[in-house]
Amino acid sequence: MRKEGKKMANEDNVFAGSIESLESVAVKEAWGVEKKIVFGPRRFWKDYVMRHFQLDKGAQTPLHTHDWPHYVVILSGKVEFVLNDHSYILDAHSWAYVPSGEKHCFKNLGDSPLNFLCTVPVKGDPEA
């Protein structure tokens, strides 16, 4: 039996649910990229933010840099992970680490959506 998000009396906290039911957050300067906040300051984790990204076929995140790291787990699909001058081809159940201050992006190489989890410190996602 599957339960979707049981609520506690007089509280707004939901302790389980599907990623599909989470609200999408806009991703600037990227088409075909959907972001959802799984955990963060508004949901059980005050120091970090775990985001779920889905990239459509042919979509990619912008090549960018900033002063915080990323911890990434590829859930499904095939991705080219670009880190500075290096390129890594990763499949489902792979992981990637982005050190702070390094140029990086993720490109969907597959014919289906790419899904991955990306965790950053709170300063790395002000929408959280």
Side-chain angles (χ1 to χ4, degrees):
M1 185 169 119
R2 183 177 173 180
K3 291 186 177 184
E4 281 295 320
K6 180 182 176 187
K7 288 191 176 187
M8 293 181 64
N10 300 320
E11 292 185 45
D12 291 333
N13 292 331
V14 175
F15 292 92
S18 70
I19 290 173
E20 290 80 17
S21 68
L22 298 173
E23 181 179 339
S24 293
V25 179
V27 178
K28 297 174 186 167
E29 301 176 15
W31 64 268
V33 178
E34 179 182 56
K35 176 176 87 170
K36 296 181 176 190
I37 306 298
V38 180
F39 296 109
R42 295 184 198 159
R43 190 175 297 118
F44 311 116
W45 205 359
K46 68 177 184 169
D47 299 325
Y48 287 86
V49 181
M50 178 186 287
R51 298 94 47 91
H52 175 272
F53 285 90
Q54 181 169 302
L55 279 63
D56 293 341
K57 178 181 176 180
Q60 72 178 57
T61 62
L63 184 63
H64 64 289
T65 185
H66 37 66
D67 66 346
W68 55 84
H70 292 286
Y71 307 89
V72 178
V73 176
I74 309 303
L75 300 175
S76 66
K78 185 173 189 155
V79 62
E80 179 183 8
F81 163 49
V82 177
L83 182 65
N84 294 317
D85 296 331
H86 300 288
S87 178
Y88 303 87
I89 306 301
L90 304 172
D91 292 310
H93 306 150
S94 298
W95 61 271
Y97 173 68
V98 180
S100 60
E102 305 295 330
K103 285 187 180 180
H104 60 280
C105 74
F106 295 87
K107 302 175 183 180
N108 184 354
L109 298 180
D111 291 327
S112 59
L114 166 68
N115 289 278
F116 62 91
L117 297 173
C118 178
T119 301
V120 295
V122 170
K123 71 178 181 176
D125 199 319
E127 292 92 10

